[in-house]
Amino acid sequence: MRKKIIIFMSLCLALTSVLSGCGGQNSGKDGEKKHIVVTFGKDEITGEVAEAETIFADYLAEHPDVEIEINSLNATDPKMLAMIASGNAPDIIRLNAPSDVATYVMRNMIIPIDEYVEKSDVIKMEDYYDVINLFRFDGKSVGKGDLYGLPKDWSIGSQMWINTALFEENGVRIPTDEDPFTFEEFAEAARKISKKNDDGTMAVIGADLGIGANYNYIEYMLSQQGKSYWKDDFSGTTTLTQQETKDAIKWFFDLQQQGALTSKLNEISSTYAWFAEGKLGMWNQGYWASAYFRDENTDMKIPLENVKLVPGPVFDKNNRKSSIMKATGGVISAQTKHPETAYSVLEYMMTGALAEARAKKGFGFPIEKSKISLLPMANVIDEQAKLATDNDAKYLSYDMKYNPYVNASSIEASFNKYYIPALYGEMTLDEALKAMEEDIEILISEGKEIAGVE
Amino acid sequence: MQVLNKNKEQKVRTKKIQGPMERMRQKAFTIIMIPYVVFLVLTKGLPFVWAVIMSFTNYTGFNIGNMKFVGLNNYIRVFTDADAIPSIGRAALIAIIVVPITVTLCLMLSLMLNQKMRGIGFFRTAWYLPSIVPGVATVMMWRGMFIKNGGVFNQILSYFGYNAIDWMDFGHVQMSLIIMLLWGAGGGILTNISAMKSIPTELYEAADIEGAGFFTQFRKITLPLISNMIYMNIITGLMSMLQLFAQPVMLSGEGGLTATPIRPIYTYMVHVYQQIFVNMRFGYGLAMVFLIFILIMALTWLAEKTSKLWVYSEVD
């Protein structure tokens, strides 16, 4: 009997050790390998879904002491934040520049990569588009100072896809590369295109700029006028003190109440589905969305000849500005145990064969000018979208401001917390603006405390 | 003194009674339990203690180096936060509506499904199915039905010539959420039926002989003998409703788990999640978690204390 108990206990212990082994990342022989965790999606590194062993096969062959794990998370994903808070941050973090770069730097969560870039044989700065500067931050301004990451690819976020058939049906002028809409023309076009069914639901919606009043877009509107959503010292917003800011928010508010823009009031299942079905006139997305139309499994129900990429609306046609708005890229966590290896993996991801594979898929413009010829030219949209982006890139401006003390998702949450009740008529817009300003100022003061700024 | 001596004698006698086999069994039990206890302390105990400590600090997830002790400030803040207390109220209102309806529906369904008839297995499966469908899929399905433009409910209304309803506006969204939650009413069917099956058939036979009808049998036999199961359903229902989080967040649409649902379905746990993962107020969020923990413990204690009055038990 005693023997049986001892055998039973030994089995229990063996089972426990086997089970605990399943959870460990560096066990046994692999324990000596440098384990690099990358948070990009498995489908966005080459444009096709694949496992890390396949994507990084060449790199791993050259670096047998490295193992790579893909953990698909966004910079603002709660799981990612929990990992950072518990000291287990991934080595390479996927984030959106410039909005997230500044807050990540202020919280000492990422490290500059200048010293690695300088030593690199692969990165040729003269071959890079200026977009790379969106990953620079000097403690106050985005675009200046140390470099914190490498972009994956880029598109002009202020551009929009339009369904020309809806424009023609409603007698609306089609904006061109040379003659973009003003914001007034945009609003008028959205109103004309929008149509309601007899039961009160929307048959066609004029435009989509996000379902709330996207504060990033408001900053874009204000930067066109040389203004900003943020006060100069980033202690708060200009919502209550600057007429242009109020006007920009009111512009959104009125169009959403009129049903000319997508909103909570007229929620739809998916903006892409509505565009593909010919029920959305203007869809605010850049070149990257051409992948939806190129895909052989595309569910587009409108002829591709009717789809065009055009510049976003401007305030002053003589002082035209376009904006990237968001550039996705990779940064290196300050918690990484292997910064040099993490950089080499990041560089491998963002250059060479993987960048070529992405360029050929057309999920955005490649960051290296030398790879631009690899973009697909398979259908009627491809060439038009490339030309439109090339043309609008001449007007790219990098003067949108980003508050370094508060993260983008907090601002959006505070904004929508009051803006949406106002849309539903639960409070006036003025009351909403006052309440959101109070919330954002508290968030900023807390952010300053975290950053150790007086 | 005499009593002490008696106890000692008893212990010695007990020890004497225990044979070597019994002692070995006890040792084996202790040794086998050690990994579990260590695992429990490491994975549950330490994080719990850590979280309690953090709830008294200004921890933001990124300031471990210059974190400050803030005393009871985080706990006091819950009562001054304009969103915290109303959000408990909303969760409580949803619980007050959903729990009684769910428990009653579940009881009625269990009674029907406890009958012996052909094809009853199919109906049992059908009613239990919502409980095993992943929550995300359930919410996405309901969202697709509620959505104003192109949603199934509005298409049905339109077919009959009625105007569309915005099922997710301020006036309707709470009702939509409740409808969605009631869809899972069949979750307690299995436990209810198993409790009903464990009731001795002799009781019903005797009741039949005495001339008791269906409702009398239900009231006098079935209900008391499954009351412990109903009690459990009420307690677990209350706990899950007070901690309601994923359903309102996902019903609200864009933004994943950090989306902000509109006011009527902005529940307490949604506010907690917003504080921790959107506003980076880890310390404050944890204080909120411990307050709801205390509230749930208090409600459970109250239910336990009053259970003697309405839950049948064979043990005093």
Side-chain angles (χ1 to χ4, degrees):
Chain A
M1 189 64 189
R2 188 173 184 167
K3 207 174 167 187
K4 277 183 184 171
I5 290 172
I6 291 169
I7 291 169
F8 177 71
M9 280 161 53
S10 307
L11 281 172
C12 285
L13 284 172
L15 182 67
T16 312
S17 62
V18 166
L19 287 175
S20 60
C22 292
Q25 291 178 340
N26 299 320
S27 59
K29 269 199 301 187
D30 292 342
E32 292 159 20
K33 287 191 174 185
K34 292 173 187 164
H35 188 85
I36 302 294
V37 180
V38 174
T39 63
F40 278 77
K42 286 181 180 174
D43 59 341
E44 61 180 345
I45 300 175
T46 61
E48 278 186 23
V49 181
E51 295 301 320
E53 292 74 20
T54 312
I55 296 170
F56 296 99
D58 291 345
Y59 179 90
L60 293 171
E62 275 181 39
H63 302 83
D65 60 331
V66 177
E67 58 181 11
I68 300 171
E69 178 193 337
I70 296 178
N71 186 351
S72 307
L73 290 171
N74 247 323
T76 53
D77 193 299
K79 192 179 165 194
M80 164 84 86
L81 298 170
M83 286 168 83
I84 295 170
S86 61
N88 294 313
D91 301 86
I92 298 173
I93 300 171
R94 175 197 194 277
L95 54 66
N96 290 319
S99 55
D100 295 330
V101 172
T103 40
Y104 265 62
V105 173
M106 292 308 282
R107 289 169 187 188
N108 300 316
M109 287 153 69
I110 54 177
I111 54 170
I113 58 168
D114 302 82
E115 61 168 309
Y116 303 115
V117 170
E118 278 164 23
K119 284 186 224 160
S120 170
D121 298 329
V122 183
I123 306 268
K124 305 269 182 272
M125 280 310 224
E126 61 278 10
D127 192 29
Y128 269 64
Y129 282 100
D130 288 346
V131 177
I132 194 169
N133 293 328
L134 293 175
F135 284 81
R136 291 186 187 278
F137 183 62
D138 66 357
K140 277 191 172 175
S141 305
V142 167
K144 295 172 188 166
D146 291 340
L147 182 67
Y148 284 91
L150 296 177
K152 178 173 71 74
D153 39 36
W154 61 282
S155 297
I156 300 178
S158 57
Q159 287 188 307
M160 53 189 192
W161 292 90
I162 61 165
N163 178 349
T164 55
L166 290 175
F167 280 63
E168 283 158 7
E169 275 170 31
N170 293 286
V172 177
R173 174 180 83 82
I174 295 172
T176 63
D177 290 343
E178 294 74 31
D179 190 10
F181 271 159
T182 60
F183 279 97
E184 272 176 32
E185 284 177 308
F186 174 91
E188 193 53 35
R191 277 191 284 263
K192 278 188 178 170
I193 292 169
S194 292
K195 296 281 177 291
K196 275 193 174 176
N197 292 314
D198 293 340
D199 63 358
T201 56
M202 298 303 296
V204 179
I205 296 181
D208 170 63
L209 295 173
I211 63 166
N214 181 348
Y215 87 94
N216 208 25
Y217 203 87
I218 287 167
E219 175 65 18
Y220 164 67
M221 292 170 80
L222 293 168
S223 73
Q224 297 239 343
Q225 305 165 73
K227 309 277 180 184
S228 175
Y229 179 63
W230 300 107
K231 288 179 183 167
D232 290 340
D233 60 356
F234 292 114
S235 61
T237 78
T238 53
T239 310
L240 303 178
T241 54
Q242 184 172 267
Q243 192 55 43
E244 287 85 350
T245 311
K246 279 185 192 171
D247 292 345
I249 297 172
K250 186 79 170 49
W251 180 86
F252 252 99
F253 188 78
D254 289 344
L255 283 178
Q256 291 190 321
Q257 287 223 314
Q258 291 156 6
L261 284 185
T262 52
S263 74
K264 271 278 181 194
L265 293 178
N266 284 300
E267 213 170 357
I268 54 177
S269 52
S270 137
T271 47
Y272 165 66
W274 271 56
F275 189 78
E277 287 168 19
K279 298 193 292 186
L280 181 64
M282 296 175 269
W283 186 34
N284 171 225
Q285 302 291 344
Y287 174 88
W288 73 271
S290 63
Y292 279 119
F293 317 131
R294 191 178 302 119
D295 193 317
E296 57 190 19
N297 301 317
T298 183
D299 36 14
M300 285 288 282
K301 293 184 178 63
I302 51 175
L304 293 185
E305 289 75 19
N306 293 350
V307 177
K308 274 193 167 54
L309 182 64
V310 298
V314 294
F315 255 95
D316 180 359
K317 287 184 187 178
N318 296 319
N319 185 22
R320 184 174 157 183
K321 289 176 182 176
S322 56
S323 173
I324 301 281
M325 292 200 178
K326 273 183 190 173
T328 304
V331 294
I332 296 176
S333 163
Q335 291 175 11
T336 183
K337 290 179 187 126
H338 315 290
E340 206 157 332
T341 309
Y343 173 76
S344 75
V345 174
L346 177 67
E347 186 183 272
Y348 181 80
M349 276 171 70
M350 301 307 177
T351 59
L354 298 188
E356 282 175 17
R358 283 195 300 274
K360 284 176 188 166
K361 285 277 174 188
F363 280 102
F365 263 44
I367 192 67
E368 292 155 296
K369 292 170 192 166
S370 54
K371 290 193 172 61
I372 208 81
S373 60
L374 297 172
L375 286 175
M377 286 291 164
N379 63 33
V380 62
I381 289 177
D382 288 335
E383 193 174 356
Q384 190 276 323
K386 182 182 174 297
L387 282 174
T389 307
D390 274 339
N391 188 60
D392 212 23
K394 291 178 215 156
Y395 305 98
L396 270 176
S397 152
Y398 297 95
D399 50 8
M400 280 170 67
K401 286 186 181 168
Y402 297 88
N403 195 314
Y405 306 115
V406 56
N407 62 48
S409 50
S410 295
I411 305 163
E412 205 155 310
S414 295
F415 201 105
N416 287 333
K417 185 174 153 188
Y418 301 106
Y419 179 81
I420 289 171
L423 261 187
Y424 279 110
E426 296 291 318
M427 62 200 314
T428 65
L429 185 59
D430 282 340
E431 286 167 348
L433 296 181
K434 196 167 173 287
M436 73 174 73
E437 179 60 21
E438 283 170 11
D439 266 21
I440 290 175
E441 281 183 11
I442 293 170
L443 285 168
I444 291 171
S445 69
E446 288 174 354
K448 282 187 171 178
E449 200 181 321
I450 298 169
V453 175
E454 287 297 314
Chain B
M1 195 65 183
Q2 262 185 335
V3 176
L4 274 176
N5 283 340
K6 240 184 186 179
N7 281 347
K8 266 188 186 171
E9 264 174 45
Q10 241 173 359
K11 272 186 188 171
V12 172
R13 217 178 294 151
T14 318
K15 270 197 175 175
K16 274 182 186 168
I17 290 166
Q18 280 183 351
M21 204 58 206
E22 186 59 31
R23 282 201 299 275
M24 206 162 72
R25 261 193 207 138
Q26 277 188 3
K27 274 185 191 166
F29 173 77
T30 312
I31 293 169
I32 289 168
M33 287 304 286
I34 285 172
Y36 170 74
V37 173
V38 170
F39 186 74
L40 188 78
V41 169
L42 287 178
T43 60
K44 307 276 180 199
L46 286 182
F48 184 85
V49 173
W50 175 252
V52 172
I53 296 168
M54 288 299 114
S55 72
F56 292 99
T57 69
N58 68 344
Y59 185 47
T60 62
F62 314 103
N63 62 339
I64 201 87
N66 59 347
M67 197 168 63
K68 284 181 204 155
F69 182 73
V70 295
L72 284 171
N73 284 2
N74 286 333
Y75 288 87
I76 294 165
R77 186 175 179 176
V78 179
F79 298 96
T80 55
D81 179 344
D83 290 312
I85 302 299
S87 66
I88 293 187
R90 279 177 219 119
L93 177 69
I94 293 169
I96 288 166
I97 298 170
V98 171
V99 174
I101 299 179
T102 307
V103 171
T104 313
L105 263 178
C106 184
L107 187 61
M108 285 160 62
L109 286 169
S110 306
L111 276 175
M112 284 193 276
L113 297 173
N114 192 32
Q115 306 304 311
K116 282 178 189 159
M117 53 166 63
R118 227 172 141 193
I120 197 74
F122 168 77
F123 291 103
R124 280 182 193 158
T125 310
W127 280 104
Y128 194 69
L129 204 60
S131 308
I132 53 169
V133 175
V136 177
T138 303
V139 183
M140 289 301 112
M141 179 189 81
W142 280 96
R143 196 175 137 69
M145 293 199 284
F146 284 133
I147 208 151
K148 186 179 173 186
N149 295 290
V152 175
F153 289 142
N154 278 348
Q155 284 183 15
I156 295 169
L157 287 176
S158 175
Y159 181 78
F160 289 105
Y162 291 102
N163 278 342
I165 292 173
D166 188 349
W167 295 93
M168 289 193 273
D169 69 7
F170 271 68
H172 296 92
V173 72
Q174 210 166 48
M175 180 183 71
S176 302
L177 177 67
I178 288 168
I179 291 172
M180 190 179 83
L181 292 169
L182 291 179
W183 189 63
I189 285 177
L190 283 190
T191 47
N192 276 354
I193 291 179
S194 65
M196 286 174 186
K197 293 241 180 270
S198 68
I199 299 173
T201 49
E202 292 85 352
L203 293 176
Y204 291 108
E205 285 165 6
D208 277 337
I209 293 165
E210 293 290 329
F214 173 80
F215 287 107
T216 310
Q217 288 184 20
F218 172 70
R219 200 161 53 84
K220 301 275 185 185
I221 301 171
T222 313
L223 202 55
L225 292 181
I226 66 162
S227 57
N228 50 359
M229 209 49 77
I230 296 170
Y231 169 74
M232 190 195 78
N233 286 342
I234 291 173
I235 294 296
T236 53
L238 272 176
M239 282 180 187
S240 63
M241 286 303 114
L242 286 174
Q243 296 179 70
L244 196 62
F245 164 69
Q247 292 90 336
V249 166
M250 286 190 279
L251 196 63
S252 75
E254 290 187 6
L257 291 178
T258 51
T260 318
I262 61 171
R263 293 293 99 179
I265 56 168
Y266 188 87
T267 57
Y268 188 77
M269 287 311 284
V270 173
H271 192 51
V272 169
Y273 208 79
Q274 290 273 320
Q275 298 314 305
I276 296 179
F277 292 113
V278 176
N279 297 334
M280 305 291 126
R281 294 167 179 156
F282 278 64
Y284 176 49
L286 287 169
M288 290 184 74
V289 168
F290 287 116
L291 280 181
I292 195 77
F293 171 71
I294 291 166
L295 178 68
I296 289 173
M297 289 292 282
L299 285 175
T300 313
W301 177 83
L302 197 69
E304 184 60 32
K305 284 288 156 194
T306 58
S307 66
K308 282 176 193 160
L309 304 172
W310 56 283
V311 179
Y312 173 78
S313 172
E314 286 176 3
V315 184
D316 281 330

